[in-house]
Amino acid sequence: MKPIRVVAATLVAGVAVLLAPTSPAWAHVTVSPSVATTGGYGTFAFKVPDERADAKTTRVEVVFPENAQLTSVSLRPVPGWKATVATRQLPNAASAGHDDDEAANKAVTGIVWEGGAIKPGEFQLFEVSLGPLPTTPGQLVFKALQTYSDGEVVRWIDIPEAGAPRPEHPAPMIDVKPVDAQANAPAAPAAPAAAAEATPTGDSVARLLG
């Protein structure tokens, strides 16, 4: 009977491993939606989960991509959090003659949310409306820095590479794609029915009545 007990104990241990909660390391900082249209505007939500069992998330910083000049940005207020937007002056703003529009002369470089707290096992959404998106298809990388109450900073800045394993701390990314031309193409007109089927001949009518 002793071997049977050993086997049973082994099975119980195996089941415990399978039923154990998934490691919080899989809960990455992400942005949704992850696909947008070239030249347009959109509202995007940065989802920040707390991955620590013994610390809260007290600060979130999102660094905007340098290859995009996103000049129009507005934020949805998050209760308990204060948002600070950082900008940079566009190099061609003065020569373009936009001195009367200060906002159009600056591109957003990053946003910092602080003052609130994300508790262990919880997440927070930080919604941002931004644009205009680049007119050239490509990827926008938004690197994120997550600060915990004990001072630890987790940097979500890794860029996935084709054919390589998924990085441990991937950066939130948006794929900017053009509008599908086929989706906007007008529907093809229906083919006309054969004349013999559409209009019965006099002989056919006479036979039918007979």
Side-chain angles (χ1 to χ4, degrees), residues 11 22 29 54 60 64 75-76 79 91 95 98 122 124 136 180 198:
L11 291 176
T22 305
V29 173
D54 55 351
V60 176
F64 277 44
L75 312 178
R76 180 186 294 273
S95 60
H98 297 307
E122 298 181 354
Q124 181 64 58
T136 303
D180 189 357

Side-chain angles (χ1 to χ4, degrees), residues 78-129:
V78 182
W81 293 82
K82 177 185 177 182
T84 303
V85 180
T87 61
R88 62 180 173 87
Q89 189 75 22
L90 296 178
N92 58 347
S95 60
H98 297 307
D99 295 336
D100 56 337
D101 191 352
E102 184 178 356
N105 296 338
K106 296 180 179 180
V108 176
T109 59
I111 305 174
V112 174
W113 288 271
E114 54 190 345
I118 307 174
K119 299 179 181 179
E122 298 181 354
F123 69 88
Q124 181 64 58
L125 294 178
F126 300 93
E127 294 182 274
V128 181
S129 176

Side-chain angles (χ1 to χ4, degrees), residues 44-207:
F44 304 89
F46 292 91
K47 181 179 180 180
V48 181
D50 189 278
E51 298 186 329
R52 294 279 302 276
D54 55 351
K56 302 176 182 178
T57 298
T58 57
R59 187 177 189 271
V60 176
E61 179 179 0
V62 175
V63 180
F64 277 44
E66 296 181 357
N67 63 332
Q69 297 181 355
L70 302 173
T71 58
S72 176
V73 175
S74 59
L75 312 178
R76 180 186 294 273
V78 182
W81 293 82
K82 177 185 177 182
T84 303
V85 180
T87 61
R88 62 180 173 87
Q89 189 75 22
L90 296 178
N92 58 347
S95 60
H98 297 307
D99 295 336
D100 56 337
D101 191 352
E102 184 178 356
N105 296 338
K106 296 180 179 180
V108 176
T109 59
I111 305 174
V112 174
W113 288 271
E114 54 190 345
I118 307 174
K119 299 179 181 179
E122 298 181 354
F123 69 88
Q124 181 64 58
L125 294 178
F126 300 93
E127 294 182 274
V128 181
S129 176
L130 53 85
L133 299 175
T135 56
T136 303
Q139 289 184 326
L140 299 180
V141 179
F142 295 83
K143 297 182 179 181
L145 283 70
Q146 181 179 11
T147 303
Y148 286 91
S149 55
D150 61 357
E152 180 191 9
V153 179
V154 180
R155 303 176 184 276
W156 303 94
I157 62 175
D158 298 334
I159 302 177
E161 298 181 2
R166 182 180 179 86
E168 183 178 359
H169 298 96
M173 302 177 64
I174 297 176
D175 287 328
V176 181
K177 300 181 178 180
V179 179
D180 189 357
Q182 295 182 358
N184 297 330
E197 297 178 359
T199 305
T201 61
D203 182 66
S204 299
V205 173
R207 292 183 181 181

